[in-house]
Amino acid sequence: MESFIAQVINGLATGSIYALLVLGMNVLVLVRDVVHHGYSHTVMITMAAGWLVLNATGNNLVIAILVMFVVGVGATVATEPLFRPLCRRGATLETIVLAMGVGIICTEIMSQFINNGGNFAFPANIRGGGITINIGLISFSLANILTLAIAIVAAVVLMRFMYHTQTGRAIRAMSQNQRVSKMLGIPFGKTGVIGFGIAGILCVVISLMIIMTIGTNGPSVGDTFAVKAIILMLFAGMGNLKGGLLSALFMGLVEALALAYLPGSWTEVIFYGVIMGVIIWKPDGLFGSNK
């Protein structure tokens, strides 16, 4: 039982990373109808910026976080003007190609200019200090607890913003009917920039969570998270914020329990098998699409 509880905590920590990735990408779906394959690659670049600053400043965490904020938000918002004309024309396929292009460029930057294209690790002082908490026979890392707590706060703040503020309602209205939203006076450009800005802030939070729990980064990290995030969006339903949050947490648990109690080669089979079954059963996603 103690081992099971520890695995549940680990699964929730992993699921919380997936959850914020899915939330960030769903915000972009709502505001610009963009399935942003390159979003997780922006997370990767943000992590790399933090690693470079830590090395240059002798592990100064405050400066590293400030730089990560500038890079994460700046890089995400900078892509909004690229998608805007395609969104106006309803060119959905073209936005997918553009998003993939952003991801490829980020991967090439990592491969050519960061640590000679190799993987790199972050210092222990921003990974929960390597501290393990023991309660009886239950053992889990402080980093996982911090990650889960950060994810809960970020998700609550985002949900409150999206459902209880005028700007949040404007973003959701834009996703329902772009033409009518503009006729009602909702500013197309400003709303898009705000939406990408929110996704950029989530990008920074996700970067810190991955640093704390996984502690490594490399050129392949963006693709790994991109595939899982997009599949989880389909699993929950495109643009469904609450459904995406719950689905990501659930699949994090499934992945952790499969890894703990089944042979390692079965982990991905279980993860993608559950998702395939749900998509076949409900093509619009488990909770229904908001698009």
Side-chain angles (χ1 to χ4, degrees), residues 106-231:
C106 289
T107 301
E108 284 301 308
I109 290 173
M110 288 283 294
S111 298
Q112 300 297 327
F113 302 108
I114 308 297
N115 198 39
N116 296 318
N119 292 346
F120 50 87
F122 289 83
N125 67 315
I126 57 172
R127 288 158 46 195
I131 298 174
T132 300
I133 299 174
N134 298 298
I135 302 176
L137 297 176
I138 303 173
S139 178
F140 48 85
S141 69
L142 176 61
N144 283 348
I145 297 299
L146 291 175
T147 296
L148 186 56
I150 291 170
I152 291 171
V153 172
V156 169
V157 171
L158 177 63
M159 291 299 180
R160 184 164 183 81
F161 174 83
M162 293 297 293
Y163 288 92
H164 298 283
T165 68
Q166 183 176 352
T167 304
R169 287 191 288 269
I171 290 174
R172 291 189 295 115
M174 187 73 71
S175 71
Q176 297 299 318
N177 193 311
Q178 190 179 119
R179 180 181 176 186
V180 173
S181 297
K182 288 190 285 187
M183 290 174 61
L184 293 174
I186 296 176
F188 181 80
K190 180 181 177 181
T191 304
V193 171
I194 291 173
F196 273 71
I198 293 168
I201 294 172
L202 285 175
C203 170
V204 179
V205 175
I206 295 163
S207 299
L208 291 171
M209 291 168 62
I210 295 175
I211 289 171
M212 285 192 295
T213 54
I214 299 175
T216 60
N217 190 18
S220 63
V221 170
D223 286 330
T224 300
F225 280 105
V227 170
K228 289 192 174 181
I230 292 173
I231 288 175

Side-chain angles (χ1 to χ4, degrees), residues 27-49:
V27 168
L28 300 181
V29 169
L30 293 177
V31 76
R32 281 291 180 265
D33 197 18
V34 174
V35 180
H36 202 331
H37 179 275
Y39 182 68
S40 61
H41 297 77
T42 307
V43 172
M44 173 185 65
I45 290 293
T46 303
M47 292 170 62

Side-chain angles (χ1 to χ4, degrees), residues 6-26:
Q7 292 305 324
V8 167
I9 293 173
N10 293 337
L12 288 174
T14 302
S16 64
I17 295 174
Y18 295 156
L20 291 194
L21 270 171
V22 172
L23 284 177
M25 293 180 69
N26 269 331

